[in-house]
Amino acid sequence: MTVAGVVGFGTPGLWWLANIRDDATREDAPYIEDPPAEHWSIEPGPSRDQVTRIISKGAYSFWLEMLPAPCEDQFTHGILPSPWKGGNKWMAWAVFDGHSGLQTSELLKKQLLPFVRHSLSQIQPTSIESPVPDELVQRAIIKGFLNLDDSIVKTALITSQSQESLQEKVNKLAPAYSGSCALLSMYDSTTGTLHVACTGDSRAVLGQQKPDGKWEVMPLSVDQTGKNKAEIARLHREHPGEEDIIRNGRVLGIAVSRAFGDGQWKWPIQFQKDLQRRFYGPPPLVPTYNIQTPPYLTAEPVVTSVKVDPGTPSFLIMATDGLWDMLSSQQAVDLVGKWLELKAAEKKNSTLEPTYEPFDFGQFWKGVSWKFVEGRTTVQDDNVAVHLVRNSLGGNHHELIAGRLAFSFPSSRRLRDDTTVQVVFFSVPDVEK
């Protein structure tokens, strides 16, 4: 049996559309009665039930018996045919953390898997009995990522010079103006191998139960940011003499060192200026940054392959950085372990919810942590992904969570990021369907 939990939430926005006509006095026009000034009031923040509804929006779980083991944010998951004849079905999960718009992440949701599947299909297995080496699978996944990014970024010149309509050109260029991280996991049920490809700072970890019952973390990706020493060294090798590429943990102003789209970090400056003038593209990075030898970002993923032991209780956590801003990998794995423990016992929190003093965000400067605190852990959700999100935002401290969720975009960015989580159980201890 396998079960997966998914949840994603972003920073809500409101579009108000009004059409004022000369005949606005028509009787069918909406009428708003102004209340007396002394009765003016603000809607209260989310109640406990509303908090649960907000962080559970779009969440669901499902059991799967077909395989032996198992926002600007977007996500996808599903069962796939084997890339090669005669093979068993595969499964795939992906999360996409968009930035500067959601056009890139939306495109990745639709196109990344087809590009990767096409690349995998080009491999010619030596025989049905002989598994394809992990190294060939990894190369194919990398090729699929790069081919898709090339189609987004490198074909922009062709698009700008084409005879297509202005509307068509703008639509095609939009995914190159914005950007997105991508985290893709693919499970080959024939070999029991999990392949994880990471471009950007979303993160995947595998939780495995040890003989003593504790859960250990196996990292399946590394955050690719301007704070990653290996990424800093790579960028300096690729751009010798440009010492100012990285400042304050950012690559020419952007937090990630690898991403899809983000043409400003990949196109020559003159082309950036041309796109801004002709198609209202984003402003060039100059003169704010000294651009000499683009591209500075790449969509090339780092791919990890690991065998999943069906005899060892284990699960995969994939999440955008909104979760990892609040939780360490070990904390996330322990939280899932705690959820499993109480689920197996068919109960939720056995302790009463503590009483907190009245809260405001000034307490963050008085010793109250804005990140996850073990003492605030709560288990009250049927969906494990919702469980992770709740505890990352404040756990059993209702007023802290409600306060964070009371903010709408763009103010919410100061307190929380878009967060998308997928949890996949390969095998679980003592949990009945």
Side-chain angles (χ1 to χ4, degrees):
M1 294 290 183
T2 61
V3 62
V6 186
V7 64
F9 75 93
T11 48
L14 172 66
W15 290 91
W16 183 274
L17 292 87
N19 183 17
I20 305 300
R21 303 189 302 260
D22 290 338
D23 60 342
T25 57
R26 284 178 44 170
E27 292 185 358
D28 60 349
Y31 178 73
I32 300 175
E33 182 178 358
D34 292 328
E38 63 269 23
H39 293 157
W40 182 86
S41 63
I42 290 292
E43 289 290 329
S47 67
R48 295 176 188 275
D49 289 342
Q50 288 173 327
V51 163
T52 297
R53 285 199 296 272
I54 291 172
I55 66 176
S56 299
K57 184 178 181 181
Y60 54 89
S61 301
F62 61 90
W63 287 90
L64 181 69
E65 300 182 27
M66 297 181 65
L67 298 179
C71 63
E72 296 169 327
D73 284 7
Q74 299 287 333
F75 70 90
T76 189
H77 58 74
I79 301 172
L80 311 172
S82 171
W84 313 293
K85 292 182 179 179
N88 294 333
K89 294 179 180 179
W90 286 37
M91 288 200 71
W93 308 270
V95 294
F96 308 109
D97 184 2
H99 48 262
S100 301
L102 45 74
Q103 293 88 348
T104 313
S105 58
E106 285 188 333
L107 180 66
L108 294 182
K109 177 181 179 179
K110 299 174 183 177
Q111 296 295 336
L112 183 59
L113 266 176
F115 268 75
V116 170
R117 289 177 61 193
H118 175 74
S119 184
L120 287 168
S121 70
Q122 304 306 300
I123 299 175
Q124 300 297 326
T126 55
S127 69
I128 297 178
E129 293 77 18
S130 300
V132 175
D134 289 345
E135 183 179 357
L136 292 183
V137 174
Q138 293 172 357
R139 289 179 184 174
I141 293 174
I142 291 172
K143 184 177 180 181
F145 272 55
L146 291 176
N147 285 347
L148 177 53
D149 194 53
D150 285 350
S151 75
I152 295 172
V153 176
K154 290 187 178 180
T155 59
L157 177 60
I158 299 173
T159 299
S160 68
Q161 302 299 330
S162 73
Q163 298 301 310
E164 296 173 292
S165 69
L166 176 61
Q167 179 182 355
E168 290 173 319
K169 291 178 182 179
V170 170
N171 286 339
K172 286 188 176 181
L173 290 169
Y177 293 163
S178 59
S180 181
C181 302
L183 180 64
L184 170 67
S185 294
M186 304 185 77
Y187 178 71
D188 179 354
S189 63
T190 301
T191 64
T193 304
L194 181 66
H195 305 282
V196 178
C198 178
T199 291
D201 61 358
S202 296
R203 188 186 307 171
V205 298
L206 188 70
Q208 295 179 308
Q209 191 172 42
K210 297 188 293 185
D212 63 3
K214 294 182 179 179
W215 293 89
E216 64 179 349
V217 175
M218 177 183 291
L220 299 178
S221 68
V222 177
D223 302 351
Q224 298 158 356
T225 70
K227 297 178 181 179
N228 181 318
K229 292 182 179 180
E231 290 292 278
I232 294 172
R234 176 183 65 81
L235 284 165
H236 283 153
R237 286 195 305 270
E238 295 175 358
H239 305 277
E242 298 182 59
E243 300 302 325
D244 292 335
I245 292 177
I246 301 169
R247 291 181 181 176
N248 301 318
R250 305 180 78 87
V251 181
L252 297 175
I254 194 169
V256 293
S257 55
R258 305 189 190 211
F260 282 85
D262 288 323
Q264 292 166 282
W265 286 265
K266 298 175 181 178
W267 291 321
I269 289 299
Q270 191 54 48
F271 184 55
Q272 293 187 42
K273 292 180 178 179
D274 184 57
L275 288 183
Q276 184 188 34
R277 178 176 59 86
R278 297 174 58 209
F279 304 108
Y280 275 85
L285 293 181
V286 293
T288 305
Y289 300 101
N290 183 18
I291 306 301
Q292 300 180 39
T293 57
Y296 293 95
L297 299 185
T298 177
E300 180 177 347
V302 175
V303 185
T304 302
S305 299
V306 61
K307 295 284 186 182
V308 177
D309 181 3
T312 300
S314 60
F315 53 82
L316 168 70
I317 304 175
M318 298 175 60
T320 55
D321 65 333
L323 184 77
W324 307 115
D325 287 342
M326 303 294 185
L327 291 171
S328 70
S329 297
Q330 185 65 61
Q331 288 170 337
V333 167
D334 288 342
L335 279 170
V336 175
K338 184 70 172 178
W339 182 88
L340 281 170
E341 176 186 339
L342 293 183
K343 184 177 179 65
E346 296 184 349
K347 62 180 180 179
K348 296 185 179 179
N349 267 357
S350 57
T351 57
L352 294 175
E353 182 176 309
T355 300
Y356 293 98
E357 64 181 36
F359 178 83
D360 64 54
F361 298 116
Q363 294 181 34
F364 287 159
W365 284 266
K366 298 178 182 178
V368 174
S369 177
W370 64 279
K371 294 188 177 184
F372 168 76
V373 174
E374 187 174 357
R376 297 198 294 247
T377 300
T378 183
V379 181
Q380 55 182 285
D381 299 294
D382 293 329
N383 184 293
V384 66
V386 176
H387 166 71
L388 284 174
V389 171
R390 182 189 297 276
N391 280 282
S392 74
L393 293 175
N396 60 26
H397 196 319
H398 166 74
E399 194 166 13
L400 172 54
I401 301 179
R404 278 178 157 143
L405 295 178
F407 282 82
S408 58
F409 181 84
S411 301
S412 56
R413 290 295 194 187
R414 299 196 297 268
L415 288 158
R416 55 183 170 85
D417 195 0
D418 291 350
T419 303
T420 300
V421 182
Q422 295 200 61
V423 181
V424 181
F425 292 104
F426 293 97
S427 61
V428 292
D430 302 320
V431 177
E432 297 295 329
K433 179 176 177 181

